[in-house]
Amino acid sequence: SALAATAPCPRAVRSAVERALSELRRGQPVVIYSLEHNKAPKAILAQAAESFSGQTGERPEIQAAGPSVLALTAQRAAVLALSSGLFEASAASDGATSKDGKVVVLPLPVAFDAAILRGLSDPTSEHASGPFAHLPTVPAPAGDLNEAAVDLARLALLLPACICTPLAEHLLKGFENDQTGVHKWALDAGFLAVSATDIAIYQARTDCGLTEIVSVPVPLALAQNTRITAFRPEDGGSEHYAIEIGDPAPG
């Protein structure tokens, strides 16, 4: 609701998310989890593709439930033409896809090259889809943990792409409805944890907490009708800038 979006971000939420943002910027993986009533938490280990060095960061006590995937924006996947069936899959009528086909996941082989993964994520890279061109992308369901990972990377001011590994469900068995227990388990395993719900709350508050400071026309050599607008976040963080060329629709 509008009220929820404009309500102050709880201190505990802000602290948990900002610690996770710091870890991602340092190139460290974080545990992203979701709690469902009386069910074992679901969790993934997420690392920003931009800072991936080729080391998966696996620990003996961390058991995967399946292969790792590259989660990235559907827009980036479409540019790379990673899957010809991308938009058909996103338009499925089962309601399982995220809003506007926001995020897709690309299954990764057991061994994958860090440079290629960064190239897939970075629009300025010369890498094409390369060896992954034949692999189909899968739209991430709304509220999916992979989607939360991409949102977290974006909030960290990193390229919106993460390497995500699903964690075995039995690892968090016994922590039903126990957020504190999940965080302690993650710390014991050597990781920080953050919930997908906290990421969503933080993002909604951040998106709505910008104040326009100044907006001025700045003609460019190839685009005379250009305007630059500066926004300042209420938390005192980095300023945001919008560069508008022509008269784009507000959306």
Side-chain angles (χ1 to χ4, degrees):
S1 67
L3 179 61
T6 57
C9 187
R11 180 176 299 179
V13 170
R14 182 178 294 278
S15 175
V17 174
E18 290 184 349
R19 290 178 66 196
L21 295 177
S22 178
E23 285 293 280
L24 277 192
R25 294 188 191 108
R26 292 176 54 236
Q28 299 301 310
V30 297
V31 172
I32 300 177
Y33 68 93
S34 63
L35 292 177
E36 296 182 28
H37 186 63
N38 293 330
K39 291 184 179 180
K42 295 180 180 179
I44 62 172
L45 194 63
Q47 183 172 3
E50 179 177 347
S51 59
F52 183 70
S53 63
Q55 301 297 319
T56 59
E58 291 180 356
R59 308 290 173 90
E61 60 271 34
I62 296 293
Q63 182 178 347
S68 298
V69 300
L70 176 65
L72 71 167
T73 64
Q75 182 179 18
R76 178 63 180 157
V79 168
L80 292 168
L82 288 176
S83 172
S84 60
L86 175 64
F87 293 109
E88 288 83 350
S90 296
S93 59
D94 58 8
T97 59
S98 61
K99 183 180 180 182
D100 298 326
K102 179 180 173 183
V103 171
V104 299
V105 294
L106 175 67
L108 296 174
V110 175
F112 42 86
D113 185 86
I116 291 179
L117 290 188
R118 287 195 297 272
L120 288 171
S121 311
D122 186 356
T124 67
S125 171
E126 296 180 355
H127 278 288
S129 50
F132 303 116
H134 67 287
L135 297 176
T137 52
V138 179
D144 183 76
L145 294 177
N146 297 308
E147 182 181 293
V150 172
D151 287 339
L152 192 67
R154 182 183 287 107
L155 288 168
L157 303 183
L158 299 172
L159 295 171
C162 283
I163 298 162
C164 302
T165 305
L167 300 183
E169 191 170 306
H170 72 81
L171 292 173
L172 296 175
K173 195 169 184 179
F175 295 116
E176 293 79 359
N177 312 316
D178 184 3
Q179 190 171 19
T180 301
V182 174
H183 282 257
K184 184 179 184 304
W185 171 87
L187 284 174
D188 290 343
F191 304 102
L192 284 180
V194 61
S195 76
T197 299
D198 285 354
I199 293 172
I201 292 173
Y202 184 95
Q203 183 176 40
R205 189 66 193 106
T206 300
D207 290 346
C208 294
L210 296 174
T211 301
E212 182 177 320
I213 303 302
V214 64
S215 182
V216 296
V218 182
L220 303 180
L222 299 178
Q224 292 294 311
N225 185 15
T226 299
R227 174 173 291 273
I228 296 181
T229 305
F231 301 86
R232 182 172 296 153
E234 63 177 14
D235 62 4
S238 301
E239 291 181 346
H240 297 247
Y241 297 89
I243 302 175
E244 298 176 81
I245 298 176
D247 297 301

